[in-house]
Amino acid sequence: NPQINISISTNGSIWNDKTKKLFENLNTHFDVSIDSLDPKTYNKNRKNGDFKTVFQNTEQIMELSHLKNNISLSAKFLIMPLNVKSIPELFNFYNDRDVVLNPKFVYHPVLASMEILPKIEIQKSIQLLNQAKPKIKTNTLTQQKNFKKYNDIITQLERWTNQSKYTLLTTYSKMSIDKLIKEFKKHMEQFCNQQNKKTSRQKIMTSCNDSIEYLMQSVPRPHSFKKGIIGFLLLPPGLIINEMQKGPSETLRSRFLQNADLHIDKFSIDNPSLTYKNGSNNGNQ
């Protein structure tokens, strides 16, 4: 059906004559991921990614969108300590080209999230964004919408200055595994009560107990298990409950290990780096 509307979310790593010929006569929207315009930052963030290739491919798709009404393009990026300094440049670059931007905060793994930073680092990020704000254009409707998203980023960071999870991370890190498990179960039960889920509380808690037992058996390294359970404690309870209610699974274990095996060298927006100690990232970083 040549009239169908196609939307493709892509890392932009592949674009050639074959793909161009395939899509140039179809109604296609490309949403390309590009977390920074600085090659060093981009390549650090996107494991096995190549900034030069992605940037050139994105420019070619953008050029095609200018020639054909049936092709459109937006750019999306994740917001995390690794690239928060790149945000003003991203907005200015794509605003100049009147391209829609779709920013998205990282929540999981927790160590890749802005909300795990100390309060002073979040405040530093806000200051950086506010200083750059006057340069962002608002002449077109697209630019105005992008500007609103820019302000939304600042607003969320301002909320986190009073809700930073860094203090909780420090507290949890001093607890024993047994105490962390008790704290986790208490955390889940409180959430059930707050959400008026008392009728399903027993079922949810059974799922939590089964999942914790499964994770203890499948992640035998105490250090990794401790980091994993701390990561789960710092995530929104609803997210964890939804995953655990599906029952013990490799997906649950994979999410757990994303927290357990992730290491950040410093809790700062100044040149941080993330590494996976035991190869549980499956090619994504």
Side-chain angles (χ1 to χ4, degrees):
N1 178 5
Q3 302 306 313
I4 197 170
N5 292 321
I6 302 168
S7 181
I8 298 176
S9 180
T10 173
N11 61 15
S13 60
I14 298 175
W15 184 258
N16 50 41
D17 291 340
K18 183 178 179 181
T19 51
K20 180 180 177 181
K21 185 177 180 181
L22 176 64
F23 291 114
E24 64 182 354
N25 293 316
L26 298 173
N27 300 317
T28 310
H29 176 77
F30 293 94
D31 193 24
V32 183
S33 299
I34 185 159
D35 298 323
S36 176
L37 296 177
D38 173 52
K40 183 180 177 181
T41 301
Y42 178 89
N43 292 334
K44 183 195 293 185
N45 183 42
R46 294 274 169 174
K47 188 174 182 181
N48 299 324
D50 179 70
F51 173 79
K52 184 178 179 180
T53 298
V54 171
F55 185 79
Q56 289 176 345
N57 289 345
T58 304
E59 289 288 286
Q60 290 182 44
I61 296 171
M62 192 184 307
E63 187 176 317
L64 187 63
S65 72
H66 292 153
L67 296 173
K68 290 182 167 289
N69 293 329
N70 58 301
I71 301 291
S72 60
L73 170 75
S74 59
K76 63 180 176 180
F77 61 91
L78 299 174
I79 305 169
M80 49 193 141
L82 288 173
N83 73 328
V84 67
K85 287 185 171 182
S86 299
I87 291 175
E89 185 181 17
L90 281 165
F91 271 87
N92 285 320
F93 181 84
Y94 285 106
N95 252 5
D96 285 345
R97 289 152 181 78
D98 211 38
V99 171
V100 173
L101 277 167
N102 295 314
K104 183 179 180 181
F105 279 101
V106 169
Y107 291 91
H108 179 271
V110 173
L111 290 184
S113 171
M114 289 294 297
E115 62 178 333
I116 200 64
L117 291 175
K119 181 177 180 179
I120 190 171
E121 291 295 322
I122 299 176
Q123 290 173 328
K124 192 190 300 183
S125 303
I126 294 169
Q127 184 180 14
L128 181 150
L129 294 175
N130 276 325
Q131 287 175 344
K133 187 158 62 170
K135 296 182 181 179
I136 298 175
K137 295 179 179 177
T138 57
N139 300 324
T140 70
L141 182 60
T142 294
Q143 291 172 352
Q144 291 165 13
K145 289 181 178 179
N146 285 342
F147 187 71
K148 182 182 182 304
K149 293 173 185 177
Y150 189 92
N151 282 321
D152 288 343
I153 293 171
I154 295 172
T155 299
Q156 181 60 66
L157 289 173
E158 287 173 341
R159 292 193 192 103
W160 282 338
T161 57
N162 297 318
Q163 301 169 8
S164 169
K165 293 185 176 180
Y166 180 77
T167 303
L168 275 176
L169 173 65
T170 304
T171 301
Y172 290 148
S173 298
K174 297 175 183 178
M175 292 183 181
S176 67
I177 289 178
D178 287 343
K179 192 168 182 179
L180 284 168
I181 291 174
K182 289 179 181 178
E183 187 71 19
F184 178 76
K185 291 178 180 179
K186 177 184 174 183
H187 198 45
M188 296 299 107
E189 193 163 8
Q190 286 176 341
F191 177 79
C192 292
N193 292 336
Q194 290 170 358
Q195 299 298 313
N196 296 318
K197 291 186 176 182
K198 292 182 180 180
T199 53
S200 58
R201 181 173 59 191
Q202 187 59 47
K203 183 179 178 180
I204 291 172
M205 294 313 299
T206 298
S207 298
C208 287
N209 290 332
D210 291 345
S211 296
I212 290 296
E213 186 66 29
Y214 164 74
L215 290 169
M216 289 184 74
Q217 292 176 4
S218 61
V219 185
R221 300 186 304 273
H223 180 69
S224 291
F225 182 86
K226 182 173 181 177
K227 286 187 67 178
I229 198 71
I230 289 173
F232 270 19
L233 267 166
L234 293 171
L235 286 170
L239 181 68
I240 302 302
I241 285 173
N242 288 339
E243 198 64 58
M244 287 187 163
Q245 281 188 299
K246 299 173 186 175
S249 66
E250 184 57 35
T251 300
L252 178 67
R253 181 177 179 273
S254 176
R255 291 191 183 279
F256 190 82
L257 285 174
Q258 281 183 330
N259 289 290
D261 292 344
L262 188 64
H263 171 74
I264 185 169
D265 60 348
K266 58 178 179 177
F267 292 93
S268 169
I269 64 171
D270 297 316
N271 198 32
S273 63
L274 296 174
T275 53
Y276 279 90
K277 293 299 186 184
N278 295 290
S280 65
N281 59 325
N282 298 319
N284 296 312
Q285 188 164 352

